[in-house]
């Protein structure tokens, strides 16, 4: 994955690409405080947040809509497209974390439980494919 020329300068010093100095809980709390300070709580219902999450996921899909598979693999090499992808990923994650906050879902616990269910549901058989 390639970065835009100025993305390295926007990252805090000493932090390599792909590293995370903050925890998911810290970012989730920051989002909650941001919304609370603006009195947006009345709008942050599970229904509204699920809809917003869907809209943002759609905006991410829109970036890739007419690209060939090969072009989609290279999308991060174009600075403008890479910035759009990062912004939409951030929007999707933000709404997902806000959704989890409202419903008191631990996103990492939910993901871990889902992976464990899938490992049982789709066991590896020699060639890496499940047999059903």
């Amino acid at each position: 994955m390639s970065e835009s020329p100025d993305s390295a300068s926007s990252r805090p010093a000493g932090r390599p690409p792909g590293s995370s100095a903050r925890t998911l809980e810290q970012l989730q709390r920051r989002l909650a405080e941001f919304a609370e300070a603006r009195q947006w709580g009345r709008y942050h219902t599970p229904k509204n947040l699920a809809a917003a999450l869907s809209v943002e996921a759609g905006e991410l899909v829109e970036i890739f809509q007419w690209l060939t598979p090969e072009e989609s693999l290279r999308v991060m090499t174009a600075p403008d497209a890479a910035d759009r992808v990062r912004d939409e990923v951030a929007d999707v994650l933000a709404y997902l974390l806000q959704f989890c906050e409202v419903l008191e879902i631990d996103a990492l616990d939910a993901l871990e439980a889902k992976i464990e269910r899938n490992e049982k549901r789709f066991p590896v058989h020699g060639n890496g494919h499940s047999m059903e």
Side-chain angles (χ1 to χ4, degrees):
M1 217 148 85
S2 180
E3 298 190 296
S4 65
D6 50 318
S7 65
S9 62
S10 66
R11 185 181 331 101
R15 219 173 89 216
S19 72
S20 180
R22 292 155 313 281
T23 67
L24 205 54
E25 290 93 5
Q26 288 170 325
L27 291 173
Q28 192 168 10
R29 176 82 329 250
R30 187 172 173 188
L31 285 166
E33 290 168 357
F34 180 89
E36 192 176 299
R38 289 153 182 80
Q39 300 177 340
W40 290 350
R42 66 181 176 265
Y43 305 112
H44 285 195
T45 64
K47 178 189 95 47
N48 287 351
L49 291 169
L53 176 59
S54 176
V55 168
E56 295 302 337
E59 290 178 8
L60 181 60
V61 170
E62 183 181 29
I63 296 167
F64 295 90
Q65 184 174 10
W66 303 113
L67 300 181
T68 66
E70 295 77 18
E71 290 169 334
S72 72
L73 289 169
R74 294 188 307 269
V75 74
M76 298 305 286
T77 62
D80 289 344
D83 287 344
R84 286 184 60 210
V85 169
R86 278 190 288 274
D87 281 349
E88 296 309 332
V89 165
D91 289 343
V92 168
L93 183 57
Y95 278 117
L96 180 59
L97 291 176
Q98 291 171 343
F99 180 84
C100 289
E101 176 81 12
V102 167
L103 291 179
E104 298 179 359
I105 296 170
D106 183 306
L108 295 179
D109 284 349
L111 178 57
E112 187 171 35
K114 181 66 174 187
I115 290 169
E116 288 171 4
R117 282 192 305 276
N118 282 343
E119 287 172 341
K120 290 176 184 155
R121 187 172 171 206
F122 304 106
V124 175
H125 296 283
N127 64 2
H129 300 286
S130 64
M131 303 293 289
E132 294 206 46

